[in-house]
Amino acid sequence: MRRYLCQPTDPARLAARLWRPGWPSQRAQLPCLVPWGAVTLHLSEASEQDEPALLRAYAMLGEQSRYLRFMRMPAEPTAEQLAWFTRYPRERQLALLLSTPEGEVIAHAQSVRRRSPERAEFACVVADAWQGQGLGSALLLTLALLAREQGVEEWVAEVLSENRPMLTLLRGLGLPLSCVTGGATQVVRLDLTALDLARSATKGE
């Protein structure tokens, strides 16, 4: 049986997770270096030159991580998928890569507008060794800020119901959320317009 769950904005949680020193709030600020604990990571928009590193990153993912991200078990991204990840129309799509100082890609997130300029699909994957540290939340909220800057009002994603880590992550962002549950997958919607108020409150506007 299908169920509909709604979660309002959590201003305190959103503010605490959203504003991280050194992390960008505008697309023009990319690429940049961002602090993460004792490490400084490289945050950039994906480009064709990143394809070899991105291919290595997906090849290093465990089978469970690949299954939860793609809802199947691909051996590695195809040439067509890699092109979709990196050679995209900038006015409709945005993809972020997080890399270590050694150039190893450890996280990849996308926001893609297909039919409506106000709505975009989103996805995120973090390397197995870096999961559970809050990196996915930081990357997704940064991507959300940049997507909102482009006029995106709502994010939509289809998530496997068994992908509890991702569902927990999304519910913990602090953004208004609605979710259709009851099947093998859940359709999650996030209201990005809540970022406007958060941004204004933080800037004291």
Side-chain angles (χ1 to χ4, degrees):
M1 179 183 296
R2 290 283 181 177
R3 294 188 300 160
Y4 297 86
L5 303 177
C6 294
Q7 177 178 298
T9 308
D10 186 330
R13 183 185 294 271
L14 181 59
R17 293 180 178 270
L18 187 60
W19 304 109
R20 299 177 181 270
W23 287 68
S25 59
Q26 297 177 347
R27 195 175 193 175
Q29 295 171 334
L30 296 170
C32 61
L33 298 176
V34 295
W36 192 258
V39 181
T40 299
L41 301 175
H42 183 260
L43 179 64
S44 63
E45 186 165 355
S47 68
E48 185 176 351
Q49 289 71 34
D50 296 310
E51 289 183 9
L54 194 54
L55 186 61
R56 289 194 299 271
Y58 274 99
M60 292 294 292
L61 281 178
E63 290 186 353
Q64 180 70 358
S65 293
R66 274 182 283 160
Y67 169 65
L68 293 177
R69 167 62 181 86
F70 294 103
M71 302 187 189
R72 55 189 179 87
M73 211 82 73
E76 60 184 36
T78 64
E80 183 179 3
Q81 284 175 317
L82 277 177
W84 174 249
F85 289 159
T86 61
R87 307 178 215 175
Y88 50 78
R90 288 175 56 88
E91 69 277 5
R92 299 191 61 83
Q93 191 168 336
L94 175 64
L96 297 182
L97 296 180
L98 264 178
S99 306
T100 65
E102 296 75 29
E104 175 190 4
V105 173
I106 58 172
H108 174 217
Q110 284 182 291
S111 176
V112 183
R113 293 188 289 187
R114 297 187 186 274
R115 299 178 181 84
S116 168
E118 294 83 23
R119 182 178 295 113
E121 299 174 12
F122 72 96
C124 179
V125 63
V126 177
D128 292 354
W130 290 79
Q131 292 177 12
Q133 302 179 33
L135 201 58
S137 296
L139 184 60
L140 270 181
L141 281 175
T142 298
L143 182 65
L145 279 173
L146 306 190
R148 182 66 189 124
E149 182 189 21
Q150 290 186 297
V152 177
E153 298 179 358
E154 183 183 61
W155 260 0
V156 182
E158 187 175 8
V159 182
L160 285 168
S161 295
E162 62 190 277
N163 193 351
R164 296 188 181 279
M166 176 56 75
L167 292 170
T168 299
L169 182 158
L170 296 177
R171 290 166 183 160
L173 293 177
L175 288 167
L177 175 148
S178 63
C179 185
V180 181
T181 71
T185 62
Q186 300 187 19
V187 178
V188 181
R189 299 178 184 272
L190 295 171
D191 181 359
L192 299 194
T193 63
L195 294 170
D196 300 344
L197 182 60
R199 190 195 300 265
S200 297
T202 302
K203 292 182 177 180
E205 298 176 355

